[in-house]
Amino acid sequence: MEIESGSKDTEDPGATAVITHRVREEHQAAYEQWLDEIAPKCKAYPGHLDWSIIRPIPGITSTFTVVIRFDTKAHLQAWMDSGDRQRLIDQVQPLLLEGDDFYISSGLDFWFTPSGARAQLPTRWKQFLATWSVIYPLVLGMPLLILPALRAAGSPENRLLDTFVLTGSIVFLMVYVIMPRYTKLIRHWLFD
């Protein structure tokens, strides 16, 4: 896969690859062992900067996401095209529900618009409406639950602490409880 340039600057801003693997549930332990084998090889390649793994939420997803960063596009391309990586990808294929899916970008562009990703993304206005439709009732309702609980626990009224606990609770519910289920419920509308 070609690396998309996110900037016209003459200075190389580095490059990031976001790799997603949907792993068969019964093979997740074997996939973790495979990660233990591929990680040191990737980290040994010239220009490697970072390696992060986002593991699936049990019972909700089966997707592992690996984010790797290199100091230059050429160094990242060298790793992605390497015989070491290809051999390990061939080895892991039986554990996967789908193939090796990845998106590569230079700079920080991928955080905002992963236009080259193979995964289908909903239109922004649908993302906006879906997110807003969940946040609005949470912002109205959570203070009615959280603030009395804080006062009952002996916490004095403190705007900064109250806001910290409220926003943390809302974000937790959005990320781990509501949005995974809600997006599944409205997926036909989201991707229509």
Side-chain angles (χ1 to χ4, degrees), residues 73-166:
K73 292 175 280 196
H75 282 147
L76 176 58
Q77 193 71 55
W79 162 249
M80 296 301 287
D81 295 340
S82 72
D84 287 334
R85 184 177 188 280
Q86 189 54 56
R87 179 184 57 78
L88 288 162
I89 292 299
D90 291 344
Q91 176 186 325
V92 81
Q93 287 297 337
L95 308 180
L96 306 180
L97 290 166
E98 296 171 2
D100 179 42
D101 191 11
F102 61 90
Y103 171 71
I104 300 173
S105 180
S106 61
L108 298 174
D109 300 337
F110 83 97
W111 287 117
F112 306 104
T113 53
S115 57
R118 291 187 216 164
Q120 180 187 6
L121 297 172
T123 59
R124 286 200 180 251
W125 69 269
K126 287 184 178 183
Q127 292 177 47
F128 167 79
L129 287 178
T131 305
W132 188 21
S133 70
V134 173
I135 286 182
Y136 181 73
L138 285 175
V139 169
L140 289 177
M142 290 301 288
L144 301 174
L145 298 171
I146 299 289
L147 295 179
L150 286 173
R151 299 298 91 79
S155 175
E157 193 169 322
N158 178 314
R159 185 171 170 234
L160 293 176
L161 177 64
D162 293 349
T163 303
F164 178 78
V165 173
L166 279 168

Side-chain angles (χ1 to χ4, degrees), residues 49-70:
L49 297 174
D50 191 29
W51 168 281
S52 302
I53 302 168
I54 302 166
R55 288 175 170 79
I57 300 168
I60 297 175
T61 68
S62 60
T63 303
F64 284 78
T65 303
V66 179
V67 180
I68 56 174
R69 292 186 317 122
F70 278 78

